[in-house]
Each structure stands twice: as structure tokens, then as C-alpha cells.
Amino acid sequence: MLLIGGLVFLLVCVFGSFAASGGSLVPLVESMPFELITILGAGIGTFVMANSMSDLKHVPGAFKTAVKGPSFGRQDYIDLLGLLFFFTRLIQTQGVVALESHIETPMESTAFSAYPKIRDNARARNMICDYLRMMSMNMDDAFQFDEVMSRELSKNLKEDTHIAHGFQTLADALPALGIVAAVLGVIKTMGSISKPPEVLGEMIAGALVGTFLGVLLAYGMVGPLALRIRSVVEEDARYYDLIRVVLVSYLQGNVPQVSVEIGRKDIPVPLMPSFEEVDTAISELSIG
């Protein structure tokens, strides 16, 4: 809602101050549809040329991400720490063989069933299962484990932020596309140079609307949208990175409780639960 509220506030301030200072909205209203067709049409065309079909399919989801915000809250982090504690404690007490029933059929696992949001999150579920499976195959070198997992997380983040980069590139291009629309308006005006000054004045004002819209769309709308998408994606990426932090800490020789505490410290401050909250959550788990 902050995104929508900020956009409304921006438009009210820009157009409201212009009207309040005595500016006429008539040239804007008359010229805006045609200038928008030129600028947005060119912008959409360049955006399509610069991205693959796979990337374009993520555009609706990117808008949803920007409006909805981060996918994970404080309780989600507590649940993830609880599940990771369960698995590391299970390895410690019963050995890696005890993981098989959970990682091979996670949708039927009692551990995953206790945390339905994690179970239904394919990326989180598969990541946990894949790396626990690697641990069950005697991959106990913490450095190598960390390197492999970090590469996957980095790859995922790069792919997830690609659409944000696309919007930022579009934002960088919009001022120039606004100039294109303005130049077309000037060409139209010069073709009517014999008309009265008042007519030429209106035509020049209409041409300048193109420059105005290009700058407004770039720095007032598309640029902030790109930054918002990127910030949300990066915050959500911290959730998946928590899996790496806890599992690597355990492989480094820490007991499950310490591994979970190390993971808790890596959670973003606004979402980081207290030690007591996590301790209560893991103390209620039944390891069997």
C-alpha cells in the first residue's frame, strides 16, 4: 500500500502545485494521450526487445511483489529456525539415516507438515531437502558446503532481480524517449510555422509535455518501482540464506541450539525474533 500511496501523493503534488500556481492543465490533458502513446509505446517496445519471453512472464509477478511487499514475516523466520533445528537435532541424535523419510517424500513428512508454509514453498522445501541429502551423502566439509550453497543462492538472486534491472534500464531510457516525443512535437510545430503565435504556443507547449512525461515516468514511477522490486527480492533472499547459515554452522561443529542462534543473528533486524521466542519454539519440538 505504501507504493500506491506514494504514487498518489506524487501525482497530487506535481499536478496540484502546477494548477495551484496558475498553470493550465488544458495543454497537458490535450497532449498527454498522444505523448503517452509515443513514450510508453517506445518504452514497451524497448523493454520487450531487451528481455526474453521467460523474463516477460515475470512482469505481472513483479508488480505483485512491489505492491504486496516481502513474503516472509517474523513468524516465518521462527518456523524456519524450528524446522532446521529439528533436522540438525535429528542428525545429532539418530544419524543422517533418519533424514530419509523426510527428504525423499517431504510432502508426507511429519516435520514439514508441522510447517505448511515451508512445505508448500517449493524453493525452500527443495533447498532444505537437497542440502540435507548432500549431508546424508557424507558431504561434511563446511567450506565446500558453504561454497556450493552460496553459489546457488547468488544465482537465484541474480535471476530474481533481473526483472528489476529491466525496469531500471527502462527508467534510464524514458527521459530520452520523452525527448523523442518532444522533438516530434517540435517538427509538427515547425510544419505549421505560418499559423498565429497563439496556435504555435499551444503546439510548443504540447511538445514539451513529452519531455515532462519522460522525466516524470522515469524518476517518479518506473525508477522507484524498480528499486522497490529489487529491495523486496533481496529481503526475501535473506530467508533462503538462513538455511545456509544454520546448516553450515552445524557442519562447523556447533550443536543445533548454537547453530540456530547463529542463524537468528543473521535475520534482518526488523524481523529478528528474540532469543526467548526461538528458544520457546524449539523447546516445544518433539524429536523422534
Side-chain angles (χ1 to χ4, degrees), residues 44-160:
I44 292 171
T46 57
F47 189 81
V48 170
M49 286 190 294
N51 294 277
S52 66
M53 182 58 69
S54 175
D55 295 327
L56 295 175
K57 290 180 180 178
H58 289 90
V59 171
F63 282 109
K64 182 179 178 181
T65 296
V67 175
K68 183 181 176 182
S71 302
F72 308 107
R74 176 187 294 259
Q75 187 58 48
D76 296 312
Y77 281 98
I78 294 175
D79 291 345
L80 183 57
L81 288 174
L83 181 61
L84 294 173
F85 173 81
F86 175 88
F87 284 129
T88 52
R89 180 65 173 166
L90 188 65
I91 296 172
Q92 183 187 51
T93 57
Q94 300 182 28
V96 293
V97 177
L99 294 172
E100 184 175 355
S101 62
H102 298 289
I103 62 179
E104 297 304 330
T105 55
M107 301 303 289
E108 302 171 10
S109 163
T110 54
F112 278 103
S113 296
Y115 303 100
K117 188 170 182 179
I118 302 176
R119 180 197 60 197
D120 297 337
N121 183 331
R123 176 175 290 186
R125 183 186 69 242
N126 292 336
M127 184 172 291
I128 292 171
C129 291
D130 288 347
Y131 286 97
L132 287 177
R133 188 178 294 109
M134 292 174 68
M135 291 171 66
S136 71
M137 293 187 292
N138 296 322
M139 185 177 182
D140 54 3
D141 186 322
F143 178 79
Q144 185 180 19
F145 190 93
D146 186 21
E147 183 181 14
V148 172
M149 205 167 183
S150 294
R151 284 203 303 265
E152 180 179 359
L153 290 167
S154 178
K155 177 201 68 176
N156 291 341
L157 180 60
K158 184 176 181 180
E159 293 176 353
D160 292 341

Side-chain angles (χ1 to χ4, degrees), residues 65-66 68-71 227-237:
T65 296
K68 183 181 176 182
S71 302
L227 181 60
R228 171 65 172 171
I229 294 171
R230 181 179 179 84
S231 64
V232 172
V233 169
E234 289 178 343
E235 182 171 326
D236 283 349

